[in-house]
Amino acid sequence: MEPKVATNSASEGPDSEGPDPEGLKQGSTGKRILAILLGLVPIAAIELVLRVTVPPSAASRTESRPLFVQDAGSQQWHIDPSQSEHFRPASFSDPKAPGARRIFVLGGSTVQGRPYETETSFAKFLELWFMDENAAPADARPVEVINCGGVSYASYRVELILREVLRHAPDLIILYSGHNEFLEDRSEQELARYQSSLRGWLRRNLRSVDVLANLRQSDRKARRGPLDTRLDRPGGLELYERDPIWRQAIETQFAQTINRMIDLCDAASVPILLCVPTCDTVNTPPFKTTVSPTLSASESKRFQSLWSTIISSEEDVSRRLQACEAALRIDEEHAGVHYVAGRLGQASAHVPESIWTMHLSQARDHDVCALRATSSMEDTVRRIATERQCLWVDTPRLFRESSRQPVESLGELAHPQWFVDHVHPTLSGHRRIATAIAEVLHKQTPIGRLCEPATFEDRFTSWLSSLDESYYQRGKQRLEGLRLWTQGRAGELEL
């Protein structure tokens, strides 16, 4: 007969000598925790050694250096001179003067005023609108406009500046961004996700994770600095290849970054005004064109034959347009064919405006070396501004008509009159943007009192006259440097 096993019952008291399942469970859990902690000791030791011996990489720092630094013993803040490669000088006092209003303008080189400088940017001209000497003392509110435009700065880098300036009591943020999204390598673009992801937090805070991430990158990438555009490297144009997946991912990240910046402003109760980026698509051909790598040998041969006809000035326009249509049936995303079809269609009375403007827009969108915001990105800013109920200015719409008499229009495209190159506005273009922003602010925000239009025009003219000839000469030299930087446009696209 098997012996009976004693079991706990309701009659057993607290001094029963039977086994305690809860106690066994707690003991087992404690042993597991201890085992895990002991297993983490080597990892912690490695982390400690790496923190002492290995500095953090550029990717883990991700531009952690502040843009503004404070003067010793004063309330004045100014842009760190060590960042003068990408930014122009700007300063402000913190705290603000009583009743003052502060606007930070963020973005890339367009915000900075390139090829000139901040003195002739739309941020400066906006400041001129707020200088109203005739305002009554009760209405007088000094408005300072601080230019934080960074040359070659993509939106995810601009977001870092936004996080910083929100600590300095802004009354408004103005954002004009989008043209620099494709300047850096894909691995650099992925840094945008580090700002809000677990992966980024681990890389910024655990040196071991940072080191392992660097080991997965090439030595060349590991040695590069925080901002390294492809075109800054020898033969940088060759680094651009057709990659629709890469391009779509960047456009998606751009939308995510814009939304994140709006979230930051909402959390700080600071209004933000979005400017839709705009560019020249008429006088600026694609910077790089390549034939689709998926074409067969026979398709490539046929395309090259058509291309010879397309670029031949000896052929009549109708035959060249027919060749464009046939070539696009072979390679529908060839930016060069789209551009020639657009320009030929523009000059032809038989091609509808909607067709040739579509081709010019497609030439920009399929440019292998994308140095302009795509039409998808323009639409993204419009959509987000509408959905999030932000203040916004449709800059492409501002530039659709020329200022000449009679007025020249290019349909939905921005007129090239307003640009000095592929993306940077003329001084008149900057004035047009500033005026549009001033009108939006006058109607929808109590930022400050605007001067009369005639007063602004006098002030605008006087301000430009106060800048010496060397200022404009430096701008012309810088413009030539920009053209050399973007060289690589196929000469055969000249019409």
Side-chain angles (χ1 to χ4, degrees), residues 121-127 129 429-439 456:
S121 67
F122 71 81
K124 179 60 183 180
F125 299 155
L126 178 62
E127 191 173 61
W129 269 109
H430 276 283
R431 178 179 64 178
R432 200 173 183 90
I433 296 173
T435 299
I437 293 174
E439 291 174 350
F456 170 79

Side-chain angles (χ1 to χ4, degrees), residues 85-99:
E85 180 181 358
H86 300 288
F87 296 89
R88 294 294 302 157
S91 62
F92 59 88
S93 60
D94 200 358
K96 295 182 294 188

Side-chain angles (χ1 to χ4, degrees), residues 272-425:
I272 181 171
L273 184 149
L274 304 180
C275 293
V276 181
T278 188
C279 61
D280 172 42
T281 57
V282 179
N283 287 346
T284 302
F287 290 93
K288 183 176 182 179
T289 62
T290 59
V291 179
S292 172
T294 63
L295 299 186
S296 64
S298 60
E299 287 174 327
S300 295
K301 183 177 181 180
R302 172 62 176 157
F303 183 90
Q304 292 303 326
S305 176
L306 291 168
W307 182 247
S308 297
T309 301
I310 290 169
I311 63 175
S312 174
S313 59
E314 297 178 359
E315 297 283 355
D316 61 62
V317 171
S318 61
R319 180 169 170 76
R320 294 172 70 184
L321 284 171
Q322 291 173 359
C324 287
E325 293 178 6
L328 289 175
R329 285 195 291 269
I330 299 173
D331 186 359
E332 64 181 359
E333 295 186 354
H334 194 281
V337 177
H338 276 297
Y339 184 74
V340 177
R343 292 305 302 270
L344 292 175
Q346 179 187 4
S348 172
H350 304 292
V351 179
E353 178 186 274
S354 60
I355 298 299
W356 62 260
T357 56
M358 177 274 294
H359 280 302
L360 291 177
S361 182
Q362 289 288 299
R364 176 264 308 266
D365 291 345
H366 296 305
D367 191 345
V368 177
C369 179
L371 303 182
R372 296 168 287 181
T374 63
S375 57
S376 173
M377 294 165 68
E378 291 180 1
D379 291 339
T380 290
V381 178
R382 293 187 182 98
R383 174 181 56 80
I384 292 177
T386 302
E387 293 176 351
R388 303 294 299 269
Q389 297 182 338
C390 297
L391 304 173
W392 66 294
V393 169
D394 194 335
T395 318
R397 184 178 293 276
L398 289 178
F399 287 0
R400 282 179 186 171
E401 293 182 345
S402 73
S403 60
R404 303 186 180 100
Q405 295 295 332
V407 173
E408 298 174 305
S409 176
L410 298 174
E412 297 295 308
L413 302 180
H415 199 285
Q417 172 205 350
W418 302 108
F419 301 94
V420 295
D421 57 13
H422 58 299
V423 293
H424 299 107

Side-chain angles (χ1 to χ4, degrees), residues 161-187:
I161 298 175
L162 173 64
R163 292 175 182 271
E164 178 181 343
V165 301
L166 284 175
R167 299 194 294 266
H168 295 291
D171 295 283
L172 174 70
I173 299 294
I174 297 176
L175 177 66
Y176 187 122
S177 186
H179 293 312
N180 297 326
E181 304 305 305
F182 303 97
L183 288 183
E184 301 178 72
D185 281 337
R186 171 70 178 179
S187 59

